Amino acid sequence: MGLGNLSKMTNSSKPVNSNEHNVYFGTDSLKKYFDPDCQPPLPLVELPPHLNPFYEDGVRVYAKMMTMHPANNVKAMPALNMLEASVEPNRTDTVIEYSSGSTVISMSMIARVMHGVRDTRAFLSNKTSDAKLKLMQFFGLDITLFGGPSQPEPVDERGGIQSARRMALESERIANPNQYENDRNWQSHIRWTGPQIFKQLPQINVLCAGMGTSGTMTGLGTYFKGVKPSVLRLGVCTAPGDRVPGPRSFALMRPVEFPWKEAVDVIEEVGSAHSYTLSLNLCREGLVCGPSSGFNLQGLFQMLGKRKAAGSLPELAGSDGMTHCVFLCCDLPYQYIGEYFQKLGPEQFPPSETSWERDALEVLPQFYGSPRSLEQCLLSEIALKPQTRVLDLRKPADFTVWHLPDAVNLPLASLGPHSVSPFSDPEVLEAQWVELERIFTDGGLGLQLGTGTHVLVVCYDGDTARVATSVLRAKGLEADSIRGGHRALRMYGIGNDNPVAAPKVPVATTVSISAVPLE
């Protein structure tokens, strides 16, 4: 892309933004609120010295908080730019996109606000976590699941990317922006993100972003190649065999057709442990961001460390003698909370001394062994430790399908897979409490819950197990329950001794909130 074309893309016909008070008036207030041309630039925040190990080397590191857009993620810019060209007024009434998270969620909001389109449909992998499925349902998205790899090749005719494309070709009322092939994806960062950063920090020396669809890095790298060629453009890929939500491994970049190779000078590969750790540290210091943000920062730190070791770090400095580095904070951490507990050790999280409801990965090692053994071994090969018991309150049929090793089935007449929470209905709470009191008082079940026995109680969603734990604690026993019950175990990937074989040919399955298979 030449400088002439770049200039055209960055010079909007709209008036220069003067909304210094950040207030949006009128019947189109929401449209203005979502429009970057009507907003102050998204924040650029320097990391304090204790978060920047290269501070004494003259390096300054800045977080570009893409999380502060109304849609709360970096994909809002591509969604805005693509929908602007994809939606036809008075004709388009449905938007379909293959996306497992931020892109399609942003599209759903922007399609409603900017274009009045209320029907947005997400095509995504059947390996998507339950937490993400619920998040998309929360935002009103219709969901269709596809088999095959979680990051499919765009050209795969059997996959969801091409299925969405075909549906749009067959109906003039359906728009499929197709983030994987649409140049307006990466050009959005030439239009908005790049100019914002350059205006905020004209002395920038290093730019760092992750590589997934590669739209962000392609757009920013192309922009800075035009306006300041001396900027080092660092792309970050996932380490081989590892996974961080959003970015890809370098091997999976092969089918990506965006001109990312011309937009990147250096590539670093980063694993999930560093990504989640740095993200957690940033969140606790006040920069709330998800794992891909920590991923980007770790890639920047790795590159700076290699430069320092080689004695070439000073070569990055500008005329002021300092090296100014910008990395992108892409989304928020909340949809990945379970993964933080899964990826990081319990020492990262203060224990809840007053609660008897425990995270699965925190409490299971007290009964079976280390979390590593639970992830790497078949559960049938693991036995309970001495002086421990596991009580499973589910129906016998569900218990038979799958249960924790050596668990005892203690089915409750007042509990079923679709029972309402005892904490939302006092009558249910009373019925379960009375039944549990009778069972534990009668003691005729051969449970042998003697003094010194540590009891773990599990149910479908964790709520009834909390009630049972309270009853047992009142009787002087040490008892805990698993937060989220068996649904949480499934989310962590525990309990797959006999997984159902996936079909060889990907098949699409439409799900709703009542149809998502949780057991």
Side-chain angles (χ1 to χ4, degrees), residues 98 100 125 127 148-154 161 180 211-213 238 242-249 252 255:
Y98 189 95
S100 62
S125 166
K127 299 172 182 62
S150 58
Q151 290 182 320
E153 293 199 10
I161 297 173
Y180 301 93
M211 306 278 283
T213 61
T238 311
D242 208 342
R243 177 187 172 276
V244 177
R248 297 173 176 231
S249 66
L252 290 178

Side-chain angles (χ1 to χ4, degrees), residues 49 73 84 104 126 309:
N73 65 75
E84 184 178 83
V104 75
N126 61 1

Side-chain angles (χ1 to χ4, degrees), residues 15 20 32 37-38 46 72 80 98 141 155 183 226-227 233 253 263 310 336 346 367 392 394 442 466:
E20 62 182 28
K32 296 175 184 174
D37 293 321
C38 299
E46 182 181 355
N72 297 135
L80 275 162
Y98 189 95
L141 286 154
V155 296
D183 286 340
V227 300
R233 303 163 300 167
M253 292 300 300
Y336 312 108
F367 287 81
D392 192 320
R394 297 177 302 151
D442 290 349
R466 287 174 59 190

